[in-house]
Every structure is written in C-alpha cells, then in structure tokens.
Amino acid sequence: MSVSKSLKKDIRSLSFEQLQEWVLQNQLPKYRAQQIYDWLWLKNISLFEEMSDVPKSLRALLSDSFNITQIQAQTIQIAKDKTIKCAIKLYDNNVVESVLIPTTRATACISSQVGCSLDCKFCATAKLERMRNLSYQEIYQQVYFIKNLAKEKYNLPLTNIVYMGMGEPLLNYQNTIKSIELITSPKGLGMSPQRITISTSGIAKMIVKLADDNYKGNLALSLHAAIEEKRVKIMSISESNNLAMLADSLNYFYEKTGTRPTLEYVMLNDFNDSIKDAQALINFCRKVKSKVNLIEYNDVEGSAFKKTSKEKLENFIKHLELNKIIVTVRRSRGKDIDAACGQLVNKNPLFSNVLTNS
Ligand code: SAH
C-alpha cells in the first residue's frame, strides 16, 4: 500500500548515509544508493521515472516511500546589463529571489532565508518578515538552477557563488554549511570553495564557528560604518555584536583560515561618506587584516538614504588608498529590475506563472 503524499518524506532530506541505510533495509544492493544519489544531486531530476538505469520495481518503491521536491522559477526578468533575476517558488509556495550576474564569467547570488529577521535600514529585504530558513537542498537547487540558466542564456560556466540574496546566512548556519558541502562535493557540483563567498551582517559568534568548522570559502562582513553609534543606527544587530567583537572574530577567522575577510561598505550620502568616516574605516582596517569593497547604494522604496556623489566616492577611495588600504568598488548590476544588492523584495507578481523575458 502506498503512503499518502502528505506523509511521505522528501527524499532530498536524506543524507547519503541515510540513503545507504534505506537501501540496505530494503535488501537492495549497496551501489543503488550511489545511483539514486547521483540522479538526485548530479542530475537534479524531478521524477523517479527519470532514473532510467534504476529498475522499474525500485522506482515504484521509491515513489511509494518518498516525494521529490523541486523549486520552480516563477518569473525570470532580464535587465539591460543582462543580469537575470528569478523569483523561485518553493514547495510550500514561499518565494525567494536568486540572481545571475554575467560578466566574462557567471556569478550566482542566492538566498538563504525566506525574508529576513534583521532590520538594516538601507535594505529592501529587511522590510519582509522572516518566514523560515531555506533547507540546504533549496539553497543548492538555486545554484543548480542559476548554473543551467547561465549556460542556456549566455553559454557561460558558473564560476562564483555569493550568499548575498535574501536572508542572513549565519542565522541559517547548518543549512548554509551543508549547501556549501554539497556544492563543493564531487557528488554535487564539485566547485572550489574559494569561489564561494558568505556575506554576513556580522554575528561574531558564528564567524568564530565558521573558522572552527574549517570553512574554506571567503567571508564578507557588511560593515557599512566603522563608527559605533552610526552602525547601530543603521544595523541594530550591532547592539549585540559591536565593532570590537567583530574585529576579534574576524582576526580569529583570518588566523585560522588564512583568508582575508572583505569589509563591505555601502556608500550612503551624508551618512558614512566623509573623510572622518573613511578615517574610522582605516583605523578598523589597521586592527583587522582585510580588504574593503565599497558598494554603490541602490535605491530602496521608502528609504531615506541616497547614493553618494561621484566626487565624494573618489575622495573616500583616495583617502583609503593613501593609507594603503586595499579597496575595490562594486558597481550596481540589474538595477532596472530591482536585482541589485539590497533590492530583493519579491516585487514581481507572484504565482502568475509568467515568464517575463523582457
Ligand atoms: N544578510 C547578509 C547578506 C545579504 S545582503 C548581509 O547582511 O551581509 C548583501 C549585501 O548587500 C550586504 O552587504 C548588504 O548590506 C548590502 N545591501 C543591502 N541593501 C543595499 C542597498 N540598498 N544598496 C546596496 N547594498 C545593499
């Protein structure tokens, strides 16, 4: 008798070891576990019938015992600069956004939570309630989806992944780490961890944990102000994670991993863009081995912030460089479709099943 659909477990929630156990419990040859796992994770199938080298009887047993969940692209929007934003519908009808950023290579910007529990004043996602964490499978499937899209639309291989979509990855720690394990595993996408960047609003305890857990990817901290009172004004997470705690955790991370963290700094007009602010940033950099990534502010509806003028940005950069700080500028991508940093807020018509390729 088949188990009713709602009682069936999602087969993607099983680890390889659990799948092996299930195979043995059902008196099947051990190699079947690998076969099934490869179909699920290497070939990313949606139906048990697609497992063409698995006997029909086993496919029937699998579909009697499990469901296979699959994410679905709800809408796909293409910006003038070729950035693509996808609204991804999850199995429970929640929606997150994933972005493909093409240059000479392709970068996937992926979400780790439905909404966000933080309240960063300059970020559109902060306006959404945090509904739930994404599972590691859902995070992995976004990467898989963007990888295929990069190939299909631009014939580009996916080379980089940034955890800079919706949500705070270090508040969904286990799933973030597990998704990276799968992305970097030869059983998954076999990508190099050095091509992966986790961006965090700054949860000192979890930065230390990343280092202790032997994380091999890159880390970016959303600093945005190196003057305590200013940072608290725009990011309330800094009330419990002050600059001194962050500096200590980043130094620990660098000592343990040998990877220099990046300090992200969104340039907000007349808020954090003066020479005094630059000097505070330099002082922070003197305490923490790091590099600075200045970010162009992207407009967010209802926000009081404006982007810095070109002149002030140049002066800020000059001041940092004179003080031997390694600095790069991240220009906006996909602004016309609200796909740039901090603009992901599920603005598209939901559940419309429209593919707006314009
Ligand atoms: N929660 C994580 C990752 C999500 S946001 C974090 O806070 O780091 C990715 C980056 O975009 C962060 O540095 C974030 O502060 C920045 N960002 C948010 N809103 C922005 C906006 N309106 N313009 C430019 N960057 C923004």
Side-chain angles (χ1 to χ4, degrees):
M1 196 180 69
S2 68
V3 186
S4 95
K5 192 172 159 63
S6 57
L7 293 176
K8 285 195 247 176
K9 204 173 176 168
D10 176 9
I11 190 163
R12 290 194 206 271
S13 69
L14 267 54
S15 66
F16 181 65
E17 290 69 32
Q18 287 169 321
L19 197 57
Q20 267 183 329
E21 224 170 88
W22 183 86
V23 160
L24 293 179
Q25 273 165 10
N26 285 280
Q27 283 91 46
L28 296 159
K30 208 174 159 193
Y31 70 88
R32 292 285 182 213
Q34 187 67 58
Q35 236 176 351
I36 297 167
Y37 196 87
D38 286 352
W39 278 108
L40 291 173
W41 297 112
L42 286 180
K43 297 166 198 151
N44 199 35
I45 50 141
S46 318
L47 299 166
F48 291 112
E49 292 90 272
E50 291 174 75
M51 297 183 170
S52 54
D53 58 2
V54 170
K56 267 198 170 152
S57 55
L58 176 51
R59 280 185 258 162
L61 178 63
L62 283 167
S63 80
D64 274 354
S65 318
F66 302 105
N67 281 326
I68 305 186
T69 56
Q70 188 66 279
I71 58 168
Q72 271 171 28
Q74 186 85 51
T75 56
I76 293 183
Q77 291 173 283
I78 307 182
K80 290 193 198 98
D81 65 11
K82 295 188 165 176
T83 298
I84 304 184
K85 181 171 81 170
C86 309
I88 303 278
K89 192 167 107 175
L90 309 170
Y91 71 89
D92 59 358
N93 286 343
N94 271 309
V95 176
V96 292
E97 293 181 333
S98 321
V99 182
L100 161 62
I101 307 153
T103 51
T104 46
R105 55 190 199 193
T107 299
C109 173
I110 52 167
S111 295
S112 54
Q113 294 181 314
V114 181
C116 189
S117 58
L118 305 178
D119 68 344
C120 306
K121 301 293 181 288
F122 44 84
C123 180
T125 311
K127 298 186 193 323
L128 298 176
E129 202 182 322
R130 175 204 164 279
M131 305 298 284
R132 68 171 174 88
N133 283 338
L134 294 195
S135 68
Y136 73 94
Q137 296 92 336
E138 288 167 326
I139 301 174
Y140 175 86
Q141 286 180 336
Q142 286 175 71
V143 177
Y144 200 97
F145 179 81
I146 296 288
K147 180 183 158 81
N148 284 347
L149 200 66
K151 180 90 191 122
E152 184 190 310
K153 296 274 185 198
Y154 302 128
N155 198 25
L156 285 175
L158 182 70
T159 53
N160 294 68
I161 300 166
V162 293
Y163 284 66
M164 294 188 189
M166 293 174 159
E168 168 50 52
L170 295 191
L171 290 179
N172 183 14
Y173 186 84
Q174 285 308 334
N175 286 304
T176 294
I177 293 303
K178 273 180 143 186
S179 69
I180 293 173
E181 270 168 27
L182 200 53
I183 293 164
T184 54
S185 155
K187 285 191 189 134
L189 295 176
M191 288 180 70
S192 158
Q194 280 144 13
R195 300 294 189 161
I196 298 175
T197 302
I198 293 181
S199 176
T200 177
S201 56
I203 296 144
K205 196 167 80 177
M206 301 318 276
I207 294 174
V208 168
K209 183 159 171 57
L210 264 184
D212 285 340
D213 286 349
N214 212 12
Y215 169 68
K216 298 218 160 40
N218 300 296
L219 180 66
L221 170 80
S222 297
L223 185 66
H224 305 327
I227 298 173
E228 199 82 67
E229 309 84 72
K230 285 202 187 189
R231 194 166 191 268
V232 171
K233 270 193 191 147
I234 51 173
M235 301 176 78
S236 63
I237 186 77
S238 44
E239 286 164 15
S240 47
N241 292 266
N242 63 30
L243 290 172
M245 287 161 78
L246 290 177
D248 285 350
S249 66
L250 292 178
N251 280 330
Y252 185 81
F253 180 87
Y254 178 66
E255 273 162 32
K256 271 239 152 171
T257 64
T259 304
R260 228 179 237 257
T262 299
L263 305 176
E264 296 169 288
Y265 196 100
V266 61
M267 295 291 290
L268 304 170
N269 189 48
D270 287 343
F271 181 80
N272 64 358
D273 58 352
S274 69
I275 293 302
K276 192 173 162 217
D277 294 301
Q279 192 54 50
L281 178 56
I282 292 162
N283 296 345
F284 190 82
C285 291
R286 291 206 171 118
K287 283 186 229 140
V288 179
K289 268 233 159 44
S290 54
K291 47 198 175 184
V292 171
N293 190 204
L294 298 179
I295 309 177
E296 204 182 322
Y297 172 68
N298 302 306
D299 283 330
V300 166
E301 235 172 70
S303 152
F305 293 109
K306 294 253 168 320
K307 92 182 217 195
T308 296
S309 69
K310 206 171 155 220
E311 198 191 342
K312 276 200 271 180
L313 174 65
E314 277 165 12
N315 281 339
F316 199 92
I317 296 173
K318 218 186 279 169
H319 195 65
L320 293 183
E321 283 178 341
L322 275 175
N323 284 278
K324 312 235 171 329
I325 305 296
I326 308 167
V327 56
T328 50
V329 181
R330 189 195 304 161
R331 305 275 171 203
S332 294
R333 299 289 310 258
K335 257 197 293 199
D336 51 321
I337 55 164
D338 291 324
C341 277
Q343 291 187 318
L344 303 183
V345 70
N346 285 344
K347 240 198 220 172
N348 308 318
L350 302 185
F351 319 126
S352 57
N353 274 326
V354 200
L355 222 69
T356 40
N357 286 345
S358 57

